[in-house]
Amino acid sequence: QEASCYIISFLRTKMDDDVIPTLRTSDEIVAIRNAMRVHQTHSSLQAAACLAIRNFCAARGNIEDKVVTVLFESINDVVKASVTHPKSPIVQENACGAFWALSTVSDHMALSVASSGAIECIIEAMNEFPGLLSLQDDACSTLVVLVAEEENFEAIGTERGFDAIINCLGQYASNMAISERVCSIVAALSTTNLFEVKLAIIEHEIAVNRIIECMYRYPQNSHIQMAGSEIISLISVDEYIMSDIAGLGGIDRLSTAMQQHLDNSLVQEKACEALKMLIPGVENDILMGNDVGKWIIVSMRRHKENSKVQIQGISALLNLCSKSHSNKDAVARLSGISAIVDSMVNHLGCVLVQETGINAIQSLSDLGANQLTIAEGGAIQAIMNGMKMHQPTKSLQIEGLDTLMKLASMEVSRGLIVDCGGVDTIVEIMCVYKIDENIQQKAFATLTSITDNLQNREARIMNANHLNTVVDIMKRFPASEKLQLSACTFLQNCIDAPLNSDLIRGNAFLPVLVQSAATKFPSIEEQAQYLVSFF
């Protein structure tokens, strides 16, 4: 029986070389399976049978449905062999090979392999025989297939599972194929929401170290760089871990990956995402010393059409700018403002690009020196276009209003906002969110900032629709002091422009609303007196 299994195994490898026609029958698997069941305690036969199953499945060509049915039944026989002979290196090696070959037959077969107890067998074999290259190779290959299904994360991501996987990476650090597989497994597991699995990765003593070492060893391997970047981004959950990653050279690795894989959008996306997560917890000197801002902007320029790269790139720049005013200046000097504006223009339909872009511009505008660049660089029009396109997204509208209000502190920006139809845009938002007091307050505050000390007093700031909206909102929120104050201040600013005077004076509701607000809120008395005397 043992000899027959070896002959079948040998013939299958020859078939792959086209020496013999590749015809696979269910009779072969039935014979192998029967031999395994009759001689369960015979380790050398079990090893031969597992090898035969491996080579049978791995041979080229399609497998008929009736053969697949018999193969399903053989999975448990391989598991039984592995469990019965835990100390036999050849049984464990060939069993891991059989698990790998079976899992590649079909997705359904892979699910059956995972649910059979094969994962536990593979992990025990990896821990028991760390020095067997072919065993570790087939084991990792199997786990790469099985980790594609999230339901397998819990079984693979145990403490012993991570020990086996990370120790394999250390033992075979010079083997690029195994290193790539291990990084892929850990990257997949890092995406989990299972607390125990995530904790096992984070708390493993040398996991992060080994992954970063792997990125150092294989800088040209895009799969390793992408997987390593993804792992870093997903485990950067607190400042201690971020600092640890930076101390191991993580920032340098991410920066280098971006430089060496400029045309690989997946590497760029994952590296930008990792930097986004790390930046808040890493010393600024390390970030600037590795030209992080420069390579993020280069990435965004190189992959203008890729919305995922843009989202992660802008988010990383936002976090970088949030650390210090000097970073805001550095990003602006690297043409970061124009990169963000271009992204917003190119991806008008992507709400995440618009929202992160508005947030980044708002942060950059905190530095007064950047406000002129923002105003003249098309950012105001980009913000308003984003607000118009995504009116249902409340958070974007709030950030847009806050940003326009901040930019309106400069005379040049006030004029541009008015010229670009900013008043129309804001009034439209007020109409969409009529019952939202917070947005109404922000809208009036923004309108007040835009019209405050406006140099061109001949501009027609308001039309009948604008005025009717103002009146409607004042009626809706009579108890809101902030809103009433902002509304009265806005009206005061508008009547200073002659083209708006007749329109405002002709509204019968305004004198009553203004007087009512002044009676309730003494803080409005000054504006109210001015308006009442005007009426």
Side-chain angles (χ1 to χ4, degrees):
Q1 296 295 316
E2 180 182 340
S4 298
C5 287
Y6 275 121
I7 290 171
I8 291 172
S9 177
F10 173 76
L11 289 174
R12 281 299 156 200
T13 60
K14 289 299 181 184
M15 289 176 186
D16 240 14
D17 295 331
D18 291 331
V19 175
I20 300 173
T22 57
L23 177 65
R24 287 181 279 189
T25 68
S26 58
D27 290 343
E28 288 178 62
I29 296 300
V30 170
I32 294 166
R33 190 186 66 197
N34 289 342
M36 295 178 78
R37 292 177 180 179
V38 172
H39 304 281
Q40 289 183 7
T41 60
H42 198 289
S43 63
S44 58
L45 181 143
Q46 298 294 319
C50 288
L51 182 61
I53 292 172
R54 178 199 192 281
N55 290 342
F56 181 93
C57 294
R60 286 181 296 174
N62 295 327
I63 303 177
E64 295 179 357
D65 290 343
K66 64 178 182 179
V67 179
V68 172
T69 301
V70 178
L71 279 173
F72 274 112
E73 297 172 1
S74 69
I75 295 172
N76 288 332
D77 296 304
V78 179
V79 171
K80 189 76 176 283
S82 180
V83 171
T84 305
H85 303 279
K87 300 297 182 181
S88 171
I90 191 167
V91 170
Q92 297 302 320
E93 179 180 341
N94 290 346
C96 286
F99 289 138
W100 163 73
L102 284 163
S103 67
T104 61
V105 171
S106 68
D107 292 342
H108 191 192
M109 187 76 76
L111 289 172
S112 296
V113 169
S115 62
S116 69
I119 292 173
E120 292 77 4
C121 292
I122 291 167
I123 289 170
E124 290 306 313
M126 292 178 75
N127 282 316
E128 185 68 31
F129 301 104
L132 278 180
L133 172 59
S134 57
L135 182 153
Q136 300 290 324
D137 192 15
D138 281 340
C140 288
S141 296
T142 311
L143 294 178
V144 166
V145 176
L146 300 184
V147 84
E149 295 296 331
E150 191 171 353
E151 63 193 67
N152 298 328
F153 285 4
E154 192 169 4
I156 298 171
T158 61
E159 186 176 341
R160 281 188 64 75
F162 274 111
D163 281 341
I165 294 164
I166 299 302
N167 288 341
C168 176
L169 182 58
Q171 182 89 11
Y172 300 100
S174 60
N175 187 310
M176 186 168 68
I178 285 181
S179 297
E180 186 177 314
R181 291 183 191 116
V182 169
C183 287
S184 296
I185 294 165
V186 178
L189 291 172
S190 299
T191 65
T192 185
N193 291 321
L194 294 171
F195 175 76
E196 294 81 3
V197 177
K198 185 80 83 174
L199 191 65
I201 304 173
I202 292 169
E203 291 192 340
H204 198 284
E205 291 183 357
I206 55 174
V208 176
N209 200 342
R210 289 272 167 82
I211 295 296
I212 293 175
E213 284 177 358
C214 189
M215 293 176 74
Y216 269 108
R217 186 180 286 270
Y218 301 106
Q220 299 299 329
N221 187 303
S222 61
H223 295 288
I224 288 174
Q225 298 304 316
M226 182 171 58
S229 298
E230 186 169 21
I231 294 163
I232 289 172
S233 71
L234 292 168
I235 66 171
S236 298
V237 295
D238 61 38
E239 290 190 2
Y240 175 80
I241 295 171
M242 296 174 193
S243 178
D244 189 32
I245 291 171
L248 292 168
I251 300 296
D252 173 66
R253 281 305 86 204
L254 294 169
S255 178
T256 301
M258 295 177 77
Q259 294 173 55
Q260 299 204 350
H261 299 276
L262 276 173
D263 293 322
N264 189 316
S265 61
L266 284 173
V267 171
Q268 298 299 318
E269 177 196 343
K270 298 301 180 184
C272 283
E273 186 175 12
L275 287 170
K276 173 189 75 175
M277 298 302 297
L278 283 173
I279 285 169
V282 175
E283 291 182 11
N284 207 48
D285 289 347
I286 295 175
L287 297 170
M288 304 314 287
N290 283 282
D291 291 327
V292 164
K294 171 186 173 181
W295 293 112
I296 293 170
I297 293 166
V298 168
S299 176
M300 291 173 64
R301 294 290 193 196
R302 185 65 68 100
H303 299 277
K304 287 184 177 181
E305 304 306 316
N306 189 307
S307 60
K308 292 181 179 179
V309 172
Q310 299 302 316
I311 291 165
Q312 301 302 338
I314 296 172
S315 298
L317 289 178
L318 172 60
N319 286 350
L320 188 63
C321 290
S322 298
K323 290 183 77 74
S324 70
H325 272 17
S326 63
N327 287 1
K328 299 181 203 296
D329 178 61
V331 169
R333 289 177 183 275
L334 290 166
S335 300
I337 294 170
S338 65
I340 294 167
V341 171
D342 287 346
S343 180
M344 294 175 70
V345 171
N346 292 333
H347 299 275
L348 182 58
C350 179
V351 65
L352 286 175
V353 168
Q354 298 304 315
E355 191 162 4
T356 51
I358 290 171
N359 283 331
I361 290 170
Q362 185 182 62
S363 178
L364 283 159
S365 70
D366 287 340
L367 188 65
N370 286 341
Q371 291 192 2
L372 185 60
T373 305
I374 291 169
E376 294 178 345
I380 289 171
Q381 187 67 68
I383 291 168
M384 288 193 292
N385 289 344
M387 292 172 74
K388 289 178 184 178
M389 176 63 71
H390 302 283
Q391 284 186 350
T393 306
K394 180 178 175 180
S395 57
L396 185 149
Q397 303 304 324
I398 291 172
E399 295 297 337
L401 291 169
D402 286 342
T403 305
L404 290 175
M405 183 165 54
K406 185 178 290 186
L407 291 173
S409 64
M410 285 185 61
E411 180 64 43
V412 64
S413 297
R414 288 195 289 274
L416 281 171
I417 294 170
V418 172
D419 292 343
C420 291
V423 176
D424 281 332
T425 300
I426 295 168
V427 171
E428 284 178 24
I429 293 162
M430 293 170 75
C431 292
V432 172
Y433 293 92
K434 281 187 176 181
I435 62 172
D436 192 306
E437 183 177 346
N438 182 40
I439 283 190
Q440 299 303 331
Q441 285 182 4
K442 287 182 177 294
F444 271 127
T446 305
L447 288 171
T448 301
S449 296
I450 292 170
T451 56
D452 186 41
N453 295 319
L454 194 64
Q455 193 172 41
N456 183 11
R457 284 299 168 196
E458 297 305 313
R460 180 178 287 283
I461 302 168
M462 180 178 283
N463 61 35
N465 178 52
H466 299 160
L467 186 59
N468 290 336
T469 302
V470 171
V471 170
D472 182 47
I473 300 304
M474 290 181 73
K475 287 179 181 179
R476 283 179 183 274
F477 300 98
S480 174
E481 182 174 1
K482 286 184 178 179
L483 189 148
Q484 296 294 326
L485 176 60
S486 293
C488 289
T489 307
F490 172 56
L491 289 169
Q492 182 179 345
N493 290 345
C494 288
I495 63 174
D496 286 342
L499 291 175
N500 300 300
S501 301
D502 292 343
L503 180 68
I504 296 171
R505 186 178 282 113
N507 191 289
F509 293 104
L510 277 177
V512 178
L513 290 171
V514 170
Q515 192 63 58
S516 174
T519 303
K520 288 179 183 176
F521 309 115
S523 61
I524 302 176
E525 186 175 353
E526 179 184 342
Q527 288 82 357
Q529 286 180 351
Y530 187 92
L531 289 169
V532 168
S533 64
F534 168 78
F535 295 134

